[in-house]
Amino acid sequence: ERDLQIERAKADREINDIRLKAEDRENQSAEDRIILLRKAQAIEEEITKKEIKAKQMLVDAMILEQSINYKQS
């Protein structure tokens, strides 16, 4: 889970850098800015999917633990 938090922090930093580049209307064409924003979106989606998967694994483990405890009582 800690590794995922670190990965999220790195992704957030990269996303912010990309968004700053995309805001530069003087040096970036509209097409280039769209490409940059789509790249930021893809990074966000990727890390969010990893976070969802990690939380789902945690929930699954908790459900399994509860079912084991229920069977033992």
Side-chain angles (χ1 to χ4, degrees), residues 2-52:
R2 173 116 171 99
D3 291 341
L4 190 55
Q5 290 174 340
I6 292 169
E7 190 173 346
R8 166 52 88 177
K10 288 179 182 178
D12 285 345
R13 191 173 324 118
E14 184 177 0
I15 290 166
N16 288 333
D17 289 345
I18 291 170
R19 287 182 178 157
L20 281 174
K21 288 179 188 175
E23 288 178 12
D24 186 1
R25 293 174 184 244
E26 291 180 17
N27 296 317
Q28 301 287 342
S29 68
E31 185 177 325
D32 290 341
R33 291 180 15 241
I34 290 169
I35 291 168
L36 287 167
L37 291 172
R38 285 186 178 153
K39 181 179 178 183
Q41 180 182 13
I43 294 168
E44 178 69 35
E45 286 177 7
E46 181 182 336
I47 190 68
T48 300
K49 286 178 185 178
K50 288 180 181 180
E51 289 172 332
I52 291 169

Side-chain angles (χ1 to χ4, degrees), residues 1 17 22 24 39 47 56-58 62-63 65 67 69:
E1 191 170 325
D17 289 345
D24 186 1
K39 181 179 178 183
I47 190 68
Q56 186 60 53
M57 289 173 62
L58 181 61
M62 291 170 71
I63 291 170
E65 182 179 7
S67 70
N69 289 339

